[in-house]
């Protein structure tokens, strides 16, 4: 039996994507009247959809009534995020090779752009975002988890329309109805070598048997299915559509656990050869971006995951700053070189090794992690400095575990809190809003929104810290640009 590495559940940061499948290599297909645009289109846009939006509420309420385990209060939702963040950090440690996982090599090409709406997932117990995508020919629409820490895009799937399965899911991809669906043979080099890092199985009873995978997540969830090529249909910003052919998609025929509730699969946005982010960016100048609304925003606020030029898509509230992406340092993840953290213009005394990926440290930008996680030598100085600035407020005698510092927020004035700044190696400064690190946990209760991990360990700038900023990932130049924004 093949050894199976474990992955993190992708639920923390979800984009709901509507995809049309039909895979034949990621190239522009022929133009289809009234549906498809040519390759000179500026960008592709995918809407990020709130868990509380009318598009999802029926499905999520149905699942909640069946499972009877949906968190009711804000505090319960936050604590569930903490649990998922902790599990996710373990996955990231595995993928970094600290537990023997192989690294991935990346191959990139250049081209155009796309755009997908984004909504906050504050409701129904998950700090996640969703995107809508269409897969196949003819197109079938799905709601997917969009995760910058996942390499494989997969959907709940059946290769036999008459076979019953996935009874708890509203949408299932019917592979036999897609003329462009083509499985990867298990005897192929692609299955045996190129897909090994995506947990392809060695089972191959006949040369034409599809290449199978078995993803095991640390929380006990699993996704089992076969690899295939198919077509993904995406919306362009000129109200037309375009087909991306030969996209690698997993046809997941069975799952274990509840890590995927509320979604029809996963949109892989990690940095790797076979991820959707890599393939789509090839067609749109090697760039993709997102702008996250407040994680507690109302359901009518929508934003977009955009592939291509994005500068005119958002209301920027400041200059765009750039820092280098360390794309080959932590495979699949978007690593950045942090030099230090200051609070109130005072640089904290944090050992340089904390930020050095070569000695077990380093920092990544991760949309799949909600809170910001700091290695212990950085966590302690940050908590001490912010704790002093909050000493005028009554500290709660029993903090809300695992938060170390919580206080009664009656009369809270965020203008009195010194600003926290991440300093990057090339001089860029990221200054998040106070509400991104002094977070609401319960009525009249705020906590410092950081988690600690033992050293050596990876630090993570999570999606709550990233909110109300535009983040543009340029995979050709290996830089990330960021600027404060209203995200509208």
């Amino acid at each position: 039996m093949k050894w199976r590495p474990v992955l993190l559940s992708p639920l923390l940061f979800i984009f709901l994507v509507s995809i049309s499948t039909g895979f034949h290599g990621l190239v522009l297909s022929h133009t289809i009247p009234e549906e498809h645009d040519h390759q000179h289109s500026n960008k592709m846009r995918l809407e990020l959809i709130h868990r509380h939006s009318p598009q999802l509420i029926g499905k999520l309420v149905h699942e909640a009534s069946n499972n009877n385990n949906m968190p009711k209060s804000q505090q319960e939702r936050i604590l569930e995020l903490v649990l998922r963040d902790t599990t996710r950090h373990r996955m990231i440690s595995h993928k970094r090779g600290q537990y023997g996982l192989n690294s991935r090599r990346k191959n990139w090409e250049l081209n155009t752009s796309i755009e997908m709406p984004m909504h906050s997932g504050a409701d129904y117990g998950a700090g996640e975002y969703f995107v809508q995508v269409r897969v196949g020919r003819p197109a079938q629409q799905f709601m997917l988890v969009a995760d910058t820490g996942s390499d494989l895009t997969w959907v709940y799937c059946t290769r036999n329309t008459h076979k019953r399965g996935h009874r708890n899911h509203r949408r299932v991809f019917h592979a036999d109805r897609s003329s462009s669906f083509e499985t990867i043979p298990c005897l192929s080099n692609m299955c045996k070598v190129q897909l090994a890092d995506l947990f392809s199985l060695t089972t191959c009873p006949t040369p034409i048997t599809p290449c199978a995978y078995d993803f095991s997540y640390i929380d006990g969830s699993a996704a089992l299915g076969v690899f295939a090529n198919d077509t993904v249909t995406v919306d362009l910003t000129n109200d037309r559509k375009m087909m991306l052919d030969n996209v690698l998609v997993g046809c997941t025929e069975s799952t274990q656990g509840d890590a995927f509730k509320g979604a029809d699969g996963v949109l892989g946005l990690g940095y790797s050869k076979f991820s959707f982010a890599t393939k789509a960016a090839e067609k749109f100048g090697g760039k993709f971006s997102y702008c996250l609304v407040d994680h507690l925003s109302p359901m009518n606020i929508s934003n977009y995951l955009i592939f291509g030029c994005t500068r005119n898509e958002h209301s920027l509230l400041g200059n765009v700053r750039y820092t280098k992406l360390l794309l080959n340092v932590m495979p699949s993840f978007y690593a950045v070189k942090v030099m230090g953290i200051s609070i109130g213009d005072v640089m904290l005394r944090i050992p340089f090794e904390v930020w050095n990926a070569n000695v077990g440290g380093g920092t990544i930008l991760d949309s799949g992690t909600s809170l910001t996680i700091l290695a212990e030598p950085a966590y302690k100085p940050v908590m001490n400095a912010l704790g002093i600035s909050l000493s005028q407020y009554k500290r709660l005698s029993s903090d809300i575990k695992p938060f170390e510092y919580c206080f009664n927020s009656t009369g809270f004035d965020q203008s009195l809190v010194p600003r926290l700044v991440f300093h990057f190696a090339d001089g860029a400064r990221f200054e998040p809003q106070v509400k991104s690190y002094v977070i609401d946990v319960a009525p009249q209760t705020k906590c410092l929104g950081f988690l600690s991990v033992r050293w050596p360990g990876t630090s993570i700038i999570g999606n709550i810290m990233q909110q109300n900023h535009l983040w543009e990932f340029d995979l050709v130049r290996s830089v990330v640009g960021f600027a404060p924004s209203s995200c509208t």
Side-chain angles (χ1 to χ4, degrees):
M1 181 174 64
K2 181 177 178 178
W3 168 74
R4 298 182 302 167
V6 281
L7 296 179
L8 168 68
S9 167
L11 289 180
L12 290 177
F13 183 79
I14 295 185
F15 293 87
L16 181 57
V17 182
S18 169
I19 299 180
S20 303
T21 52
F23 304 159
H24 283 301
L26 188 68
V27 294
L28 289 179
S29 69
H30 60 285
T31 300
I32 295 180
E34 301 180 359
E35 264 202 3
H36 291 77
D37 201 2
H38 51 70
Q39 69 181 36
H40 298 297
S41 300
N42 284 341
K43 50 186 165 288
M44 176 180 85
R45 181 172 65 183
L46 297 175
E47 183 178 7
L48 294 170
I49 301 174
H50 195 294
R51 272 185 170 264
H52 215 173
S53 78
Q55 298 180 59
L56 290 180
I57 189 169
K59 179 178 181 180
L60 293 176
V61 167
H62 173 72
E63 290 188 0
S65 62
N66 287 341
N67 298 326
N68 196 31
N69 61 357
M70 184 164 285
K72 302 298 191 299
S73 69
Q74 180 177 343
Q75 180 175 335
E76 288 176 316
R77 294 196 297 265
I78 292 291
L79 294 180
E80 183 173 294
L81 294 183
V82 170
L83 176 61
R84 291 176 176 174
D85 282 356
T86 302
T87 303
R88 184 174 183 85
H89 193 276
R90 292 170 56 199
M91 176 274 290
I92 291 171
S93 296
H94 277 271
K95 293 187 75 171
R96 284 196 63 184
Q98 296 173 356
Y99 297 89
L101 289 188
N102 296 326
S103 62
R104 297 166 175 78
R105 298 185 63 183
K106 289 78 183 174
N107 298 312
W108 289 90
E109 298 175 8
L110 177 62
N111 217 312
T112 13
S113 129
I114 316 172
E115 186 173 346
M116 306 174 171
M118 263 174 103
H119 304 251
S120 169
D123 298 291
Y124 295 103
E128 300 146 358
Y129 296 79
F130 295 84
V131 185
Q132 216 171 21
V133 179
R134 296 178 300 280
V135 182
R137 294 191 190 185
Q140 301 173 44
Q141 181 169 299
F142 301 99
M143 300 296 215
L144 303 184
V145 174
D147 185 8
T148 54
S150 294
D151 301 332
L152 178 65
T153 292
W154 63 263
V155 293
Y156 286 107
C157 174
T158 178
R159 288 179 287 160
N160 184 347
T161 299
H162 302 291
K163 182 180 179 180
R164 298 186 64 183
H166 303 297
R167 288 174 293 176
N168 294 328
H169 298 278
R170 184 176 58 192
R171 286 170 293 268
V172 174
F173 175 57
H174 295 275
D176 55 349
R177 298 177 185 174
S178 173
S179 62
S180 52
F181 181 82
E182 184 176 348
T183 57
I184 307 296
C186 62
L187 199 60
S188 65
N189 179 73
M190 183 173 182
C191 180
K192 295 190 294 184
V193 179
Q194 299 184 58
L195 296 178
D197 285 340
L198 293 180
F199 316 129
S200 60
L201 301 179
T202 56
T203 305
C204 192
T206 71
I208 61 172
T209 298
C211 182
Y213 60 81
D214 185 351
F215 272 45
S216 293
Y217 294 85
I218 284 178
D219 67 353
S221 299
L224 299 86
V226 298
F227 292 104
N229 286 325
D230 211 332
T231 297
V232 174
T233 299
V234 294
D235 295 327
L236 301 174
T237 50
N238 59 1
D239 295 326
R240 304 193 72 180
K241 301 182 189 303
M242 184 186 72
M243 283 185 174
L244 301 177
D245 290 329
N246 206 19
V247 178
L248 180 71
V249 172
C251 171
T252 293
E253 298 173 303
S254 65
T255 58
Q256 299 172 2
D258 61 357
F260 315 109
K261 68 177 182 179
D264 301 320
V266 174
L267 183 71
L269 297 176
Y271 178 61
S272 69
K273 181 178 180 178
F274 295 109
S275 79
F276 180 83
T278 303
K279 293 296 187 179
E282 289 175 354
K283 297 299 169 187
F284 298 95
K287 295 180 180 179
F288 75 92
S289 67
Y290 54 76
C291 197
L292 306 180
V293 295
D294 187 330
H295 69 294
L296 296 177
S297 63
M299 68 180 183
N300 62 341
I301 295 180
S302 176
N303 286 283
Y304 294 84
L305 170 65
I306 302 173
F307 289 83
C309 180
T310 62
R311 201 55 49 79
N312 298 324
E313 290 294 321
H314 301 281
S315 301
L316 300 184
L317 306 176
N319 296 329
V320 180
R321 305 180 183 219
Y322 295 90
T323 191
K324 185 173 180 59
L325 280 174
L326 308 177
L327 294 176
N328 294 310
V329 173
M330 302 184 196
S332 301
F333 297 105
Y334 299 98
V336 289
K337 183 64 174 178
V338 174
M339 292 298 291
I341 296 176
S342 66
I343 294 180
D345 295 324
V346 176
M347 191 67 73
L348 302 181
R349 298 186 64 179
I350 299 173
F352 179 74
E353 290 76 15
V354 169
W355 315 120
N356 188 347
N358 295 323
V359 295
T363 308
I364 64 173
L365 297 167
D366 184 35
S367 65
T369 301
S370 294
L371 299 173
T372 288
I373 299 176
L374 297 175
E376 193 169 356
Y379 174 83
K380 288 183 176 180
V382 168
M383 295 296 289
N384 289 339
L386 289 175
I388 292 173
S389 70
L390 296 171
S391 59
Q392 61 183 298
Y393 302 103
K394 182 180 178 180
R395 184 170 179 176
L396 299 181
S397 56
S398 56
D399 290 329
I400 300 174
K401 300 298 182 184
F403 293 109
E404 180 180 327
Y405 194 107
C406 298
F407 62 95
N408 186 316
S409 59
T410 302
F412 176 71
D413 183 354
Q414 72 172 20
S415 67
L416 301 180
V417 179
R419 298 303 294 268
L420 178 146
V421 177
F422 289 88
H423 298 262
F424 295 110
D426 35 24
R429 295 161 43 101
F430 167 46
E431 186 173 333
Q433 296 183 355
V434 172
K435 67 178 181 179
S436 294
Y437 51 92
V438 182
I439 65 173
D440 291 306
V441 173
Q444 287 80 51
T445 302
K446 292 182 183 290
C447 297
L448 294 180
F450 298 90
L451 298 178
S452 173
V453 293
R454 289 180 296 179
W455 171 256
T458 305
S459 295
I460 301 174
I461 299 176
N463 64 59
I464 293 178
M465 193 70 76
Q466 295 178 43
Q467 68 188 13
N468 294 117
H469 278 74
L470 167 69
W471 295 90
E472 182 181 76
F473 296 79
D474 188 331
L475 305 178
V476 176
R477 296 170 52 212
S478 296
V479 298
V480 59
F482 55 92
S485 172
S486 61
C487 296
T488 58

